[in-house]
Amino acid sequence: MQLSFYSRISQPDSMSTTSLSPRPHNRRVMQTGSFEVSTPKRSPSHNNISIGDDHNGSLVRKDSDKLKKSESQTFFKMNSIKFLVLMVLCLQNTFFTVMRRYSLGVLREKYSKYEVLLAAEVIKVVFSAFQIAGAVPQGEQALPKLKYILRRSSKMGILALIYGAMNILSFVSLRNISAGIFTIFAQLKILTTAVSSSIILRRSYSWTKWRALISLMLGVLLFSEPIWNNADMSKNPEGGNVFLGTVAVLIEVSLSGFASIYFEKVIKTDPEQMGIWERNYQLAFTSIPIYIGFILWDKGGEEGFGRGWSVTAGLLSLLGAAGGLLVALSIKHGDSILKTLATTGAIVFSALLDHFVLGGPLTSVMCIAGVQVILSICNYTFDVSPPENTPLPFEKRARDDLEEAQPLTDMKDEENDLPTKSV
């Protein structure tokens, strides 16, 4: 009696011979006693299975290629938007700085800076409200939505209070230390932003990025050499408390880094998921009472309430409002570090424009420092090294490919390892 069977398919034993279809010929037979056990022949490349060898594998590969192509296009589009927003933010900061220098340094205008900031916040409120109203579905009213957004503005109110505290701390520090020392400490905002990002958002940065940020900070410090190396700017105010002024400026730069990351966290991870215009509307609206308080405290500046305004002051208000909106957009499409890089790069461009248009200083030290600033920004932006404890990209791809190929390997092994017994 002879019985042929497979491990997956079994036939009941009977007096007649049961025959099944023969197995593929690439098998070798081992004879042990009266049993013949057939095992599959394995080629040296048996484990090197190509997903594209069968039709299903081809479809998987095609779908994977389409998905990668779509992801690549989306990534390129997002990077283009991010680059555009950061460039516009850099240009806005450049023109704002030069125009303020022209207004206060050349024209000697004496309007209240708090009134200019208040006007900028009012412009942001109006513009954001129009954007929100334009997104309301047809047949619905925008006013109830605007009221709802204001009722949910506590988080942006906290940010407005932080900005107000930073203004007070700047005033306290400049009353007690020189403008040169203040400028030196102010460059620490670059590092406090990165440290706050690591702690609050739990981001990890490669050592190349940390070195680039430190190099950027030193470059900006050298670029500001005409300020802190000036004999008149280095004198501390009479009766000033240097310790108090130093503590105030250190607290201010720490709050600056925290505020940037706090704003980014609210925009990107808040469960309410409000848009950029809603958050700008909340922030501007809650900032208005704070600036009104500053105007009352400053008694309207040297000229008094509402006096000393000009066309230049109006343009500064418009540029200030645009800057606030661009900061939010840069954080949405990028992050707070990239926003800091854009505003830092604007220091170099504004100094160049100030030199060629208004006759500002441009020394050899400033030129060298400007090159260092630009190189540091490029080193940070184009760094492709992974953060600490992060697998390299090719290691991740190899692991993913292995996981995708493993089910096919197991399936082919099961098909080839079907034993045949002959009695």
Side-chain angles (χ1 to χ4, degrees), residues 218-287:
L218 295 176
V220 175
L221 185 60
L222 286 175
F223 197 81
S224 307
E225 185 261 347
I227 298 177
W228 53 262
N229 200 26
N230 189 311
D232 295 332
M233 302 293 286
S234 299
K235 292 181 180 178
N236 293 325
E238 284 189 32
N241 188 329
V242 177
F243 178 77
L244 177 62
T246 303
V247 171
V249 71
L250 288 176
I251 295 175
E252 187 212 346
V253 297
S254 301
L255 285 177
S256 175
F258 171 78
S260 297
I261 303 303
Y262 175 81
F263 192 22
E264 181 179 356
K265 183 178 177 63
V266 171
I267 288 177
K268 293 184 176 179
T269 64
D270 189 70
E272 292 179 339
Q273 291 296 310
M274 289 190 180
I276 289 296
W277 306 121
E278 286 85 353
R279 292 303 184 188
N280 269 289
Y281 179 74
Q282 292 174 335
L283 180 59
F285 201 93
T286 51
S287 297

Side-chain angles (χ1 to χ4, degrees), residues 29 84 197 406 417:
V29 179
L84 178 62
S197 177
Q406 190 62 38
D417 288 342

Side-chain angles (χ1 to χ4, degrees), residues 278-307:
E278 286 85 353
R279 292 303 184 188
N280 269 289
Y281 179 74
Q282 292 174 335
L283 180 59
F285 201 93
T286 51
S287 297
I288 288 175
I290 295 175
Y291 285 119
I292 291 176
F294 282 135
I295 292 171
L296 295 175
W297 170 76
D298 195 40
K299 298 179 181 179
E302 296 183 20
E303 296 290 328
F305 296 105
R307 296 179 180 273

Side-chain angles (χ1 to χ4, degrees), residues 30-67:
M30 293 188 300
Q31 189 167 2
T32 307
S34 60
F35 289 90
E36 290 182 355
V37 182
S38 179
T39 60
K41 288 183 180 180
R42 294 182 180 268
S43 62
S45 61
H46 176 76
N47 291 327
N48 299 330
I49 296 175
S50 175
I51 298 178
D53 289 344
D54 55 356
H55 180 65
N56 292 333
S58 300
L59 293 178
V60 170
R61 175 175 288 180
K62 290 179 180 178
D63 292 341
S64 177
D65 291 342
K66 289 181 180 179
L67 180 60

